Amino acid sequence: MQRAERVPPRVMESISTPERVETHLGTLEFPLGVPTDETTDRVYDHLDRLDGVRAFLDAYSGVSVWAARKGFLETGAEDHDVLLFSEFMDPRALVLTGNADTVYFQTFLDLTEGPVVVEMPPLTLSFVNDMWFRWVADPGMPGPDRGTGGSYLFVPPGYDGPLPEGGFFAHRVRTTRLVLAGRAFLEEGDPKPAVERIKERLRIHRYVPGLYGTSVGEIVTGGAAPPRPWTAQTWTAALRRPDPPRFVEASGLPLNMVPPADESYFDFANELVQDQPAEALDPEIAGPLAAVGIVKGKPFRPDARMRRILTEAAAVGNATARTLACRPRPDEGAHFYGPSSQWVNGLLASGHDFMTPPADVTDSGVEPRPSSGARKLNLRSWWWYLAVGISPTFATRLTGVGSQYVFSFADREGRPLDGGGRYRLVLPPDIPAARFWSVTVYDNQTRSMLDTPQRFPRAGSQDYPTPAAVADADGTTTVHFGPGRPDGVPEGNWIRTTPGRGWFAVLRLYSPLQPFFDRTWRPGEIEAVG
């Protein structure tokens, strides 16, 4: 029998671990192929740091919802109460890239006791997300009610009770709480009609099996359980409109909905994990959280060593998310007008699921674009570090629906925007927004509206809450930024900044038109002046 040849040395070298390995962690030692105590401690410290950073980045959407909920509750509001910005949001509200363009309203829905019904007012642009900021529904103009108003039924996980035959837009969800946020628009420059309509039409109540949506025939033939007590008065009660929710006026109200950037981030994450069913959490996010000690049903009690590691993980995670937000790599595809431009929009590259770019919408129909099958983690971090909420409509190339945004963190030369400097932005004629457009300035630290003596840091085509921007004779519109208004510049064309505070700008187009999507219209770059 022929003797087998030895494994070639180059193969042995490729599969073997040397006794000493030089890395950025220092020298790692493996005598007889086994790590020393020192190497073991060093490797596990490194692994815990990696898991901590991954947990910070991957769980950001959920921690952001939880931060919003904590801020909501700190105002004195409770679930099913509604924060209503009847005179628009201002910088006292720390909300990731919130704006002063629309009437905002927000609430949290509690499904712990069963399904909940929301009766939506007409003419809103809204979304419902679960407690990990996953999309559930779009009540309002992009949704199935098409802006006419409608009744939405939200069914919690594990519910196996009776449901109505019809009459509702029904959604089964994965979490026992939901966040509902909506926007309504000015009418002839006045927010009051929208505010009155929201107060008159928005209703939130628990679903009662056997009442509206269920016929007598369904009950008497055994298809549904009757309400208790089963009387004629029960049916009369079912026809009464529910009482309105409690509205909490939020304009000018101090409010913090921004996630923490320090080690308390992980305490927020643990509170959310404990609040929700274990099945509500995606395994890809649950894994890193569990690796640092955050597990449903178990106490989160990191020892001194782990606290030090999590403190560093939060610092590195926050630094990573901030870098991805402010300076996305050109090959990520977020640079909407190409690498030479500072304007970015990651959602139009990643889609709302951060996997599938949005479909092309043409005269011949909707043409889906292929998914790579890989989650675009950097663009996911880009979005959640800067914004709240998600919906397919945020990344839809459909004209006249919803809104589209582009962000700029630098001037034309790529330099950070300094609140002590003077800048200008020239917008070409025929700005492609059927409803209106705006430019809003944000504080780099809070990613919320910049707080200055100018209460609303925005300019745009609306004349509320600040004067509308005035176009030049050639049809272009110039927006100026700086600590003082330049001579001869109309009030509505200037946004005040603060020396020593970095800022960024978001250009919004409400009901965007085709020239935006095909890039035949594009904004100028923000340019330093003087």
Side-chain angles (χ1 to χ4, degrees):
M1 181 167 50
Q2 186 175 6
R3 183 178 177 181
E5 296 184 2
R6 291 181 178 274
V7 177
R10 67 179 181 277
V11 174
M12 286 298 298
E13 182 178 350
S14 71
I15 66 174
S16 299
T17 301
E19 288 200 354
R20 293 172 60 87
V21 181
E22 301 297 333
T23 73
H24 74 280
L25 302 179
T27 301
L28 304 180
E29 297 182 315
F30 300 88
L32 299 176
V34 178
T36 63
D37 290 346
E38 181 181 359
T39 292
T40 297
D41 290 343
R42 191 174 295 175
V43 167
Y44 274 117
D45 282 352
H46 175 61
L47 184 61
D48 287 341
R49 289 188 182 95
L50 288 178
D51 288 332
V53 172
R54 192 72 264 164
F56 187 99
L57 295 173
D58 290 351
Y60 207 91
S61 61
V63 173
S64 186
V65 181
W66 197 249
R69 177 167 171 75
K70 290 171 80 76
F72 176 87
L73 296 175
E74 285 169 1
T75 69
E78 299 178 354
D79 290 330
H80 302 182
D81 292 343
V82 179
L83 293 186
L84 180 60
F85 294 84
S86 62
E87 295 179 358
F88 287 10
M89 188 180 291
D90 67 20
R92 299 197 75 185
L94 298 182
V95 176
L96 295 177
T97 51
N99 63 66
D101 294 329
T102 60
V103 175
Y104 274 109
F105 58 96
Q106 182 187 22
T107 188
F108 282 84
L109 308 178
D110 178 8
L111 279 62
T112 58
E113 297 180 15
V116 168
V117 174
V118 178
E119 299 178 21
M120 289 295 298
L123 303 178
T124 66
L125 191 62
S126 309
F127 65 82
V128 175
N129 285 178
D130 73 11
M131 293 302 289
W132 286 94
F133 262 145
R134 291 175 297 225
W135 175 63
V136 173
D138 290 324
M141 290 181 281
D145 68 87
R146 288 294 191 269
T148 62
S151 294
Y152 288 76
L153 176 66
F154 299 102
V155 183
Y159 177 81
D160 60 359
L163 290 173
E165 297 170 65
F168 300 92
F169 301 111
H171 298 269
R172 287 190 176 271
V173 299
R174 294 175 61 183
T175 59
T176 58
R177 303 184 199 279
L178 302 172
V179 57
L180 163 64
R183 292 166 287 172
F185 302 101
L186 297 175
E187 295 181 16
E188 297 181 355
D190 187 356
K192 291 186 180 63
V195 170
E196 292 171 0
R197 189 164 51 246
I198 292 167
K199 289 182 175 181
E200 172 62 27
R201 297 289 297 273
L202 181 60
R203 295 292 185 269
I204 302 169
H205 55 92
R206 300 203 177 280
Y207 168 68
V208 179
L211 295 186
Y212 178 81
T214 302
S215 67
V216 174
E218 181 73 2
I219 292 172
V220 299
T221 57
R228 303 294 183 187
W230 177 235
T231 66
Q233 287 75 21
T234 303
W235 291 99
T236 303
L239 298 178
R240 295 181 190 143
R241 285 214 69 205
D243 293 332
R246 184 171 76 99
F247 289 95
V248 177
E249 179 52 58
S251 294
L253 186 69
L255 179 67
N256 178 25
M257 292 186 170
V258 177
D262 60 13
E263 68 277 8
S264 66
Y265 175 97
F266 295 100
D267 296 312
F268 277 47
N270 180 61
E271 291 170 11
L272 173 57
V273 168
Q274 302 308 328
D275 183 73
Q276 290 300 307
E279 297 78 16
L281 184 53
D282 290 332
E284 67 174 275
I285 299 175
L289 288 173
V292 299
I294 298 174
V295 179
K296 173 72 174 179
K298 295 184 178 181
F300 176 53
R301 295 172 183 161
D303 58 19
R305 167 189 166 275
M306 198 63 189
R307 273 289 176 194
R308 288 194 300 271
I309 287 175
L310 291 180
T311 297
E312 180 181 353
V316 174
N318 180 67
T320 303
R322 180 167 289 269
T323 300
L324 294 173
C326 298
R327 293 188 169 182
R329 290 171 172 165
D331 60 7
E332 298 276 5
H335 290 74
F336 190 63
Y337 299 103
S340 64
S341 173
Q342 302 299 330
W343 293 107
V344 297
N345 182 317
L347 283 188
L348 289 177
S350 70
H352 82 285
D353 61 356
F354 307 103
M355 287 182 62
T356 310
D360 291 318
V361 181
T362 68
D363 291 341
S364 59
V366 177
E367 299 177 4
R369 301 173 71 190
S371 170
S372 66
R375 190 85 65 192
K376 296 177 173 61
L377 299 178
N378 290 347
L379 292 182
R380 181 172 72 177
S381 293
W382 175 87
W383 177 254
W384 291 124
Y385 199 71
L386 296 175
V388 293
I390 197 68
S391 162
T393 63
F394 293 7
T396 296
R397 300 174 183 271
L398 185 61
T399 61
V401 174
S403 53
Q404 288 297 332
Y405 320 141
V406 284
F407 299 63
S408 181
F409 284 86
D411 69 9
R412 179 186 292 277
E413 308 304 322
R415 297 169 297 202
L417 300 169
D418 183 349
R422 293 175 53 208
Y423 302 86
R424 69 183 175 196
L425 166 64
V426 178
L427 302 174
D430 301 320
I431 299 171
R435 188 177 289 273
F436 67 89
W437 65 268
S438 72
V439 175
T440 306
V441 164
Y442 296 94
D443 188 310
N444 280 350
Q445 291 297 335
T446 66
R447 291 97 73 203
S448 304
M449 284 187 284
L450 187 66
D451 192 3
T452 74
Q454 184 187 49
R455 182 182 178 190
F456 299 103
R458 48 94 54 198
S461 56
Q462 295 189 137
D463 58 5
Y464 182 96
T466 60
V470 177
D472 297 325
D474 62 357
T476 62
T477 302
T478 303
V479 179
H480 297 260
F481 311 87
R485 176 152 55 111
D487 293 341
V489 170
E491 180 183 351
N493 292 62
W494 167 62
I495 304 177
R496 185 168 183 165
T497 59
T498 300
R501 301 295 293 182
W503 59 275
F504 66 97
V506 176
L507 169 63
R508 287 179 168 84
L509 306 173
Y510 283 82
S511 298
L513 301 176
Q514 188 59 31
F516 169 74
F517 294 111
D518 64 20
R519 301 177 178 83
T520 55
W521 181 94
R522 61 180 287 179
E525 301 294 317
I526 297 175
E527 300 178 291
V529 177

